[in-house]
Protein backbone atom coordinates (compact mmCIF):
# COMPACT_ATOMS: atom_id res chain seq x y z
CA UNK A 1 0.00 0.00 0.00
CA UNK A 2 0.96 3.62 -0.57
CA UNK A 3 -0.02 5.62 2.48
CA UNK A 4 0.95 9.30 2.49
CA UNK A 5 -0.36 12.42 4.19
CA UNK A 6 0.54 15.94 3.17
CA UNK A 7 -0.44 19.09 5.07
CA UNK A 8 -0.12 22.81 4.50
CA UNK A 9 -0.55 25.54 7.06
CA UNK A 10 -3.71 27.41 6.19
CA UNK A 11 -5.36 30.42 7.75
CA UNK A 12 -7.34 28.15 10.09
CA UNK A 13 -4.38 25.88 10.93
CA UNK A 14 -3.08 22.66 9.35
CA UNK A 15 -4.94 21.41 6.28
CA UNK A 16 -4.05 17.73 5.74
CA UNK A 17 -4.79 15.48 2.80
CA UNK A 18 -4.22 11.73 3.03
CA UNK A 19 -3.95 9.21 0.24
CA UNK A 20 -4.10 5.46 0.79
CA UNK A 21 -4.05 3.25 -2.30
CA UNK A 22 -2.76 -0.14 -3.35
CA UNK A 23 0.93 0.20 -4.20
CA UNK A 24 0.23 -0.36 -7.90
CA UNK A 25 -1.78 2.89 -7.86
CA UNK A 26 0.85 5.00 -6.08
CA UNK A 27 0.98 7.33 -9.08
CA UNK A 28 -2.62 8.32 -8.31
CA UNK A 29 -1.51 9.40 -4.81
CA UNK A 30 1.39 11.35 -6.29
CA UNK A 31 -0.90 13.09 -8.78
CA UNK A 32 -3.61 13.83 -6.21
CA UNK A 33 -1.22 15.25 -3.63
CA UNK A 34 0.61 17.31 -6.26
CA UNK A 35 -2.64 18.69 -7.71
CA UNK A 36 -3.90 19.56 -4.24
CA UNK A 37 -0.68 21.39 -3.38
CA UNK A 38 -0.75 23.34 -6.65
CA UNK A 39 -4.34 24.38 -5.88
CA UNK A 40 -3.28 25.54 -2.40
CA UNK A 41 -0.40 27.55 -3.92
CA UNK A 42 -2.65 29.30 -6.45
CA UNK A 43 -2.61 33.07 -6.02
CA UNK A 44 0.42 32.98 -3.72
CA UNK A 45 3.07 33.82 -6.33
CA UNK A 46 4.91 30.52 -5.94
CA UNK A 47 7.45 30.30 -8.78
CA UNK A 48 7.12 27.40 -11.22
CA UNK A 49 10.56 26.14 -10.19
CA UNK A 50 9.30 25.92 -6.60
CA UNK A 51 6.21 23.97 -7.64
CA UNK A 52 8.37 21.63 -9.73
CA UNK A 53 10.67 21.02 -6.76
CA UNK A 54 7.69 20.29 -4.52
CA UNK A 55 6.27 17.86 -7.09
CA UNK A 56 9.60 16.02 -7.11
CA UNK A 57 9.61 15.86 -3.33
CA UNK A 58 6.02 14.60 -3.24
CA UNK A 59 6.90 11.83 -5.70
CA UNK A 60 9.86 10.75 -3.56
CA UNK A 61 7.71 10.95 -0.42
CA UNK A 62 5.02 8.70 -1.90
CA UNK A 63 7.68 6.29 -3.20
CA UNK A 64 9.02 6.01 0.37
CA UNK A 65 5.55 5.47 1.86
CA UNK A 66 5.16 1.80 1.00
CA UNK A 67 3.38 -0.14 3.73
CA UNK A 68 3.00 -3.87 3.93
Amino acid sequence: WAQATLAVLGEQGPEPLACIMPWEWKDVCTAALTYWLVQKAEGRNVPQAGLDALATQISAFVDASRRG
Side-chain angles (χ1 to χ4, degrees):
W1 288 86
Q3 182 175 350
T5 301
L6 179 66
V8 297
L9 187 56
E11 293 179 16
Q12 304 291 325
E15 297 178 20
L17 178 68
C19 185
I20 302 171
M21 296 247 174
W23 184 248
E24 296 79 23
W25 297 354
K26 70 181 175 78
D27 293 341
V28 174
C29 280
T30 299
L33 294 172
T34 301
Y35 179 79
W36 180 75
L37 185 65
V38 168
Q39 292 297 309
K40 293 293 179 182
E42 192 171 288
R44 297 178 188 257
N45 298 319
V46 178
Q48 186 62 47
L51 292 174
D52 292 344
L54 289 170
T56 299
Q57 290 177 350
I58 289 170
S59 180
F61 178 65
V62 171
D63 285 347
S65 73
R66 189 168 190 163
R67 302 282 186 260

